[in-house]
Structures are given as structure tokens and as C-alpha cells.
Amino acid sequence: MRIGVPKEIKSQESRVGLVPGVVHALTDSGHEVFVQAGAGEGVDVSDQTYASAGARIVADAQAVFDAAELIVKVKEPQPEEIARLKPHHTLFTYLHLAPDPEQTKALMASGATCIAYETITDKAGRLPLLAPMSQVAGRMSVQVGAAALLSPAGGRGLLIGGVPGVQPAKVMILGGGVSGENAAEMAVGVRADVTLYDINPTRLAQLDAQFDGRLRTQFSARDAILAGLREADLVIGAVLVTGAAAPKLVRRQDLATMKKGAVLVDISIDQGGCFETSRPTTHAEPTFVVDGVVHYCVANMPGAAPITSTYALGAATAPYVMKLADMGMDSAFAADPGFAAGLNVKGGKLTCRPVAESLGMLDQLAA
């Protein structure tokens, strides 16, 4: 198979779709890999390193798309990348279509086959290609939240962990999945006062045992969230409904009950955000203020740590890329139904029901 790796072009995105070790495995198996010149610069991987792994270095993105059947990326394709897609292409990347009708319609119009990392499941129903970036985002959320709480950033002027004789910041974490768990590890580790909210009592019991009393857990009822918001200094939104838009757990009117200079960090922003007032931001301008509350809503949080993120993601995606290359999509999907759950667009139709439902496009769902 001919596999292409273009340079990422989303704002301040330096990750890359394949690391040299995976390229080497692919070329050893007889596949051709085409890497755009400079694609690995942001993760300290030179063109020569890719060439030594067996890749062919091509001048620009158009050359990658022209040469390849399978396109492996990190972030959702930008408009100029979608314009390069043809019906013979298979795109394998994060898509996050549920909150993005424009991208969805453009991918359908391209005729390409589009497989989303974020909807692939394993035998236990987990999300193996979302997990590594959820780990990074969860851990980062506490770091960026702590920075935003400082007064030069517009925050309340709190040190998240406090000092002897002064109380630490109160941190709310909404969601007990991979991102929420990793956020809790970091927040507890810096001695914040942490409460995690989830709707799954079994998951709350697991986290209670895991943290041995250092983390408070709370069932995520509306009244409990409202009570927590009144006291919170930092709120981390880590809610996920696979393939679908994130539910809005904090509404616009709720901000009036919060402390001035409190901080909201929305990890769920790729799926539309779990705060009603969220809107995507970039690493260049990561925050904005609504009703005195600081919002951090960067849509590619792990892109700020591209080396860590690329190698974590590359280890997770490698088996799936190898299956696509060695077996072809149809055989790979037949052998692994969880992999087949990653298919979002094919032949101009949607193939993921949660995406179609979120976008009100059930009439475009393949039979």
C-alpha cells in the first residue's frame, strides 16, 4: 500500500502522523511511505531520519496526496487538505465531526473514506486511540488551569496547591474517564482540593479506592454541579460521549454564581465543549473571559507537547495502520469490529450514527 504523511497545518500543530519506527515497520513489510519534507520538524525528527527508515521524502502536501492511497494524519483535515482528497483516498486521523457540520459535508463531498481515531473501540469498549491524547490533555489541564489562576493571566490570584496556613484552590473535574482521571492525578499531586463528578457510581467507587481518600467523588446531578460551581476556583470539563457532541454541563447563567477570576478548562472542546460559553481557541490566544470567568478552550491541547504526544499517539495507532496496510480496510474491519467503529464517512455517506444524530443528518446515514 502507498501511505502518505503530510505536514500538519492546523494553527500551532507540530505533531506528525507516523514516527520513524512505524515507517520502518511499514517499509520492511513492502509498503511505500511518502513523507512531506519537514513533517517531523516539530518533534525533532529530520527528513534524513525518515529517509533512513525507508520513507520517500516529497516536496509538498500535494505530492503526498497524489502519491498515497492511505493518508495518516493527527488533526482533522483543514479545508485545503479536504480539497486534495479524492474518492480513492482513505483518511485516518482525528475527525471530531459531531460539532463540525462544514467539515463533515466537505468530507462527504470528497468521496473519500474517512476513519476517525476517536470512535475506534477495543474489546473492552474503551477508546484506545483517544486514550493517549486524553492522558496528555488531562494532565495538561491542571498545568494550564493553574497558570490561568494567576493574576497576570486574569485569574483569581491563587496558587493551586496553596501553602502552609493558606487553603489550596478548589478544583472540580467533570467526568471520570481517561482525561478526568489524569487531571485528578495531577491536581491531587499538587495538593489542590479536588472533587470529581461522574454519572457512573461504579466508576466513582473505582476512583475513590484508587485515590485512597485524597479525591472526593460526587454523583454528577445538576444540583450538585451548581453547588460545586459556587465554591470552585478551577473547573475542568472532561466529558465524553463517544462520537457525539459533548453535553453542556455548565450553562451561561451558571457563570454568575461563580467567583470572579475562576477558570474553566474545556478538554471536551474538540467535541463541541461541555460549557455553554466555550468556543475553540488556539495556543496563541488560549483564553477569553465571559462574565468574569476565564475560559481555556484550546482545541488541540496536546499539540503544545508535540514530542510527548506524537510518540504516545504513534504507539497506539501503529497496529491499526499496519492492519490497514497489510490487510486492506475491508478485511481489517471484518477481523476487528471495534476498528470498524472508526469508519465515519464512506461513499459520500455518514457511517457513524452518533455523528449523524448530533448533526441532524440521519437522512445521510448509510443503510
mmCIF file of all heavy atoms in Angstrom, residues 172 174 222 225 229 235 247-255 258 264 274-277:
data_model
loop_
_atom_site.group_PDB
_atom_site.id
_atom_site.type_symbol
_atom_site.label_atom_id
_atom_site.label_comp_id
_atom_site.label_asym_id
_atom_site.label_seq_id
_atom_site.Cartn_x
_atom_site.Cartn_y
_atom_site.Cartn_z
ATOM 1 N N MET A 172 -12.844 21.385 40.537
ATOM 2 C CA MET A 172 -13.917 20.487 40.099
ATOM 3 C C MET A 172 -13.488 19.819 38.801
ATOM 4 O O MET A 172 -13.042 20.498 37.879
ATOM 5 C CB MET A 172 -15.202 21.268 39.786
ATOM 6 C CG MET A 172 -15.988 21.777 40.941
ATOM 7 S SD MET A 172 -17.468 22.675 40.314
ATOM 8 C CE MET A 172 -18.508 21.318 39.713
ATOM 9 N N LEU A 174 -15.193 17.464 35.894
ATOM 10 C CA LEU A 174 -16.447 16.921 35.384
ATOM 11 C C LEU A 174 -16.136 15.789 34.418
ATOM 12 O O LEU A 174 -15.690 16.025 33.291
ATOM 13 C CB LEU A 174 -17.256 18.013 34.688
ATOM 14 C CG LEU A 174 -17.588 19.238 35.541
ATOM 15 C CD1 LEU A 174 -18.340 20.279 34.710
ATOM 16 C CD2 LEU A 174 -18.409 18.851 36.765
ATOM 17 N N ARG A 222 -27.418 17.744 38.510
ATOM 18 C CA ARG A 222 -27.416 19.180 38.220
ATOM 19 C C ARG A 222 -27.267 20.012 39.486
ATOM 20 O O ARG A 222 -26.471 20.965 39.520
ATOM 21 C CB ARG A 222 -28.713 19.543 37.478
ATOM 22 C CG ARG A 222 -28.967 21.029 37.273
ATOM 23 C CD ARG A 222 -28.051 21.637 36.270
ATOM 24 N NE ARG A 222 -28.388 23.045 36.048
ATOM 25 C CZ ARG A 222 -27.557 23.953 35.594
ATOM 26 N NH1 ARG A 222 -26.314 23.630 35.285
ATOM 27 N NH2 ARG A 222 -27.943 25.190 35.404
ATOM 28 N N ILE A 225 -23.658 19.908 40.729
ATOM 29 C CA ILE A 225 -22.765 20.731 39.919
ATOM 30 C C ILE A 225 -22.930 22.206 40.271
ATOM 31 O O ILE A 225 -21.940 22.932 40.449
ATOM 32 C CB ILE A 225 -23.023 20.490 38.422
ATOM 33 C CG1 ILE A 225 -22.578 19.082 38.025
ATOM 34 C CG2 ILE A 225 -22.309 21.541 37.566
ATOM 35 C CD1 ILE A 225 -22.913 18.705 36.605
ATOM 36 N N LEU A 229 -19.973 24.670 41.626
ATOM 37 C CA LEU A 229 -19.539 25.852 40.881
ATOM 38 C C LEU A 229 -19.417 27.076 41.771
ATOM 39 O O LEU A 229 -18.540 27.927 41.561
ATOM 40 C CB LEU A 229 -20.512 26.153 39.736
ATOM 41 C CG LEU A 229 -20.518 25.176 38.557
ATOM 42 C CD1 LEU A 229 -21.632 25.535 37.582
ATOM 43 C CD2 LEU A 229 -19.169 25.179 37.833
ATOM 44 N N VAL A 235 -12.443 24.700 37.181
ATOM 45 C CA VAL A 235 -13.357 23.650 36.723
ATOM 46 C C VAL A 235 -12.787 23.057 35.445
ATOM 47 O O VAL A 235 -12.522 23.783 34.477
ATOM 48 C CB VAL A 235 -14.778 24.184 36.455
ATOM 49 C CG1 VAL A 235 -15.708 23.041 36.041
ATOM 50 C CG2 VAL A 235 -15.315 24.910 37.680
ATOM 51 N N PRO A 247 -22.260 17.012 26.111
ATOM 52 C CA PRO A 247 -23.383 17.692 26.759
ATOM 53 C C PRO A 247 -22.908 18.963 27.453
ATOM 54 O O PRO A 247 -21.776 19.044 27.923
ATOM 55 C CB PRO A 247 -23.873 16.657 27.780
ATOM 56 C CG PRO A 247 -22.669 15.825 28.079
ATOM 57 C CD PRO A 247 -21.890 15.760 26.799
ATOM 58 N N LYS A 248 -23.774 19.968 27.529
ATOM 59 C CA LYS A 248 -23.422 21.249 28.153
ATOM 60 C C LYS A 248 -23.753 21.165 29.649
ATOM 61 O O LYS A 248 -24.908 21.311 30.055
ATOM 62 C CB LYS A 248 -24.194 22.395 27.508
ATOM 63 C CG LYS A 248 -24.071 22.460 25.990
ATOM 64 C CD LYS A 248 -22.645 22.625 25.517
ATOM 65 C CE LYS A 248 -22.583 22.786 24.001
ATOM 66 N NZ LYS A 248 -21.212 22.702 23.466
ATOM 67 N N LEU A 249 -22.751 20.941 30.465
ATOM 68 C CA LEU A 249 -22.972 20.768 31.904
ATOM 69 C C LEU A 249 -22.937 22.080 32.673
ATOM 70 O O LEU A 249 -23.465 22.152 33.778
ATOM 71 C CB LEU A 249 -21.935 19.799 32.476
ATOM 72 C CG LEU A 249 -21.940 18.380 31.910
ATOM 73 C CD1 LEU A 249 -20.984 17.493 32.694
ATOM 74 C CD2 LEU A 249 -23.347 17.782 31.924
ATOM 75 N N VAL A 250 -22.285 23.083 32.106
ATOM 76 C CA VAL A 250 -22.256 24.407 32.739
ATOM 77 C C VAL A 250 -22.899 25.387 31.759
ATOM 78 O O VAL A 250 -22.422 25.559 30.636
ATOM 79 C CB VAL A 250 -20.824 24.849 33.075
ATOM 80 C CG1 VAL A 250 -20.828 26.261 33.662
ATOM 81 C CG2 VAL A 250 -20.180 23.875 34.059
ATOM 82 N N ARG A 251 -23.972 26.023 32.182
ATOM 83 C CA ARG A 251 -24.733 26.913 31.310
ATOM 84 C C ARG A 251 -24.309 28.365 31.511
ATOM 85 O O ARG A 251 -23.669 28.711 32.511
ATOM 86 C CB ARG A 251 -26.228 26.753 31.600
ATOM 87 C CG ARG A 251 -26.705 25.318 31.402
ATOM 88 C CD ARG A 251 -28.104 25.091 31.918
ATOM 89 N NE ARG A 251 -28.458 23.671 31.902
ATOM 90 C CZ ARG A 251 -29.532 23.166 32.486
ATOM 91 N NH1 ARG A 251 -30.378 23.973 33.136
ATOM 92 N NH2 ARG A 251 -29.766 21.868 32.433
ATOM 93 N N ARG A 252 -24.702 29.192 30.557
ATOM 94 C CA ARG A 252 -24.299 30.609 30.610
ATOM 95 C C ARG A 252 -24.715 31.256 31.925
ATOM 96 O O ARG A 252 -23.920 31.959 32.565
ATOM 97 C CB ARG A 252 -24.927 31.352 29.422
ATOM 98 C CG ARG A 252 -24.739 32.877 29.448
ATOM 99 C CD ARG A 252 -23.285 33.262 29.320
ATOM 100 N NE ARG A 252 -23.056 34.681 29.435
ATOM 101 C CZ ARG A 252 -22.887 35.493 28.378
ATOM 102 N NH1 ARG A 252 -22.959 35.026 27.139
ATOM 103 N NH2 ARG A 252 -22.642 36.770 28.549
ATOM 104 N N GLN A 253 -25.939 30.994 32.363
ATOM 105 C CA GLN A 253 -26.404 31.653 33.589
ATOM 106 C C GLN A 253 -25.663 31.171 34.838
ATOM 107 O O GLN A 253 -25.654 31.864 35.859
ATOM 108 C CB GLN A 253 -27.915 31.449 33.770
ATOM 109 C CG GLN A 253 -28.360 30.006 33.972
ATOM 110 C CD GLN A 253 -28.801 29.347 32.682
ATOM 111 O OE1 GLN A 253 -28.307 29.696 31.612
ATOM 112 N NE2 GLN A 253 -29.743 28.427 32.777
ATOM 113 N N ASP A 254 -25.025 30.019 34.751
ATOM 114 C CA ASP A 254 -24.293 29.488 35.905
ATOM 115 C C ASP A 254 -23.056 30.323 36.226
ATOM 116 O O ASP A 254 -22.586 30.342 37.378
ATOM 117 C CB ASP A 254 -23.858 28.040 35.659
ATOM 118 C CG ASP A 254 -25.021 27.101 35.404
ATOM 119 O OD1 ASP A 254 -26.153 27.453 35.777
ATOM 120 O OD2 ASP A 254 -24.785 26.018 34.838
ATOM 121 N N LEU A 255 -22.514 30.989 35.216
ATOM 122 C CA LEU A 255 -21.284 31.758 35.443
ATOM 123 C C LEU A 255 -21.502 32.853 36.473
ATOM 124 O O LEU A 255 -20.572 33.225 37.206
ATOM 125 C CB LEU A 255 -20.782 32.364 34.133
ATOM 126 C CG LEU A 255 -20.473 31.401 32.980
ATOM 127 C CD1 LEU A 255 -19.798 32.159 31.839
ATOM 128 C CD2 LEU A 255 -19.619 30.235 33.430
ATOM 129 N N MET A 258 -20.440 31.980 39.952
ATOM 130 C CA MET A 258 -19.047 31.614 40.201
ATOM 131 C C MET A 258 -18.229 32.803 40.692
ATOM 132 O O MET A 258 -18.622 33.962 40.544
ATOM 133 C CB MET A 258 -18.420 31.047 38.926
ATOM 134 C CG MET A 258 -19.073 29.756 38.433
ATOM 135 S SD MET A 258 -18.284 29.092 36.943
ATOM 136 C CE MET A 258 -16.677 28.625 37.608
ATOM 137 N N LEU A 264 -12.318 28.043 33.798
ATOM 138 C CA LEU A 264 -12.881 26.855 33.165
ATOM 139 C C LEU A 264 -11.899 26.354 32.112
ATOM 140 O O LEU A 264 -11.474 27.122 31.246
ATOM 141 C CB LEU A 264 -14.210 27.174 32.473
ATOM 142 C CG LEU A 264 -15.363 27.741 33.299
ATOM 143 C CD1 LEU A 264 -16.561 28.026 32.395
ATOM 144 C CD2 LEU A 264 -15.760 26.778 34.403
ATOM 145 N N CYS A 274 -18.126 21.232 26.798
ATOM 146 C CA CYS A 274 -19.152 20.892 27.791
ATOM 147 C C CYS A 274 -19.586 22.105 28.609
ATOM 148 O O CYS A 274 -20.348 21.971 29.563
ATOM 149 C CB CYS A 274 -18.682 19.759 28.700
ATOM 150 S SG CYS A 274 -17.234 20.123 29.692
ATOM 151 N N PHE A 275 -19.092 23.288 28.256
ATOM 152 C CA PHE A 275 -19.568 24.536 28.840
ATOM 153 C C PHE A 275 -20.295 25.318 27.740
ATOM 154 O O PHE A 275 -19.783 25.429 26.620
ATOM 155 C CB PHE A 275 -18.412 25.385 29.386
ATOM 156 C CG PHE A 275 -17.472 24.635 30.300
ATOM 157 C CD1 PHE A 275 -16.089 24.780 30.173
ATOM 158 C CD2 PHE A 275 -17.958 23.793 31.289
ATOM 159 C CE1 PHE A 275 -15.219 24.103 31.010
ATOM 160 C CE2 PHE A 275 -17.087 23.102 32.128
ATOM 161 C CZ PHE A 275 -15.716 23.262 31.986
ATOM 162 N N GLU A 276 -21.442 25.851 28.049
ATOM 163 C CA GLU A 276 -22.236 26.536 27.032
ATOM 164 C C GLU A 276 -21.506 27.725 26.424
ATOM 165 O O GLU A 276 -21.715 28.069 25.252
ATOM 166 C CB GLU A 276 -23.568 26.993 27.639
ATOM 167 C CG GLU A 276 -24.561 27.507 26.616
ATOM 168 C CD GLU A 276 -25.904 27.847 27.239
ATOM 169 O OE1 GLU A 276 -25.940 28.220 28.435
ATOM 170 O OE2 GLU A 276 -26.917 27.736 26.532
ATOM 171 N N THR A 277 -20.632 28.343 27.188
ATOM 172 C CA THR A 277 -19.923 29.538 26.735
ATOM 173 C C THR A 277 -18.581 29.226 26.073
ATOM 174 O O THR A 277 -17.845 30.144 25.710
ATOM 175 C CB THR A 277 -19.710 30.491 27.913
ATOM 176 O OG1 THR A 277 -19.254 29.740 29.053
ATOM 177 C CG2 THR A 277 -20.991 31.216 28.275
#
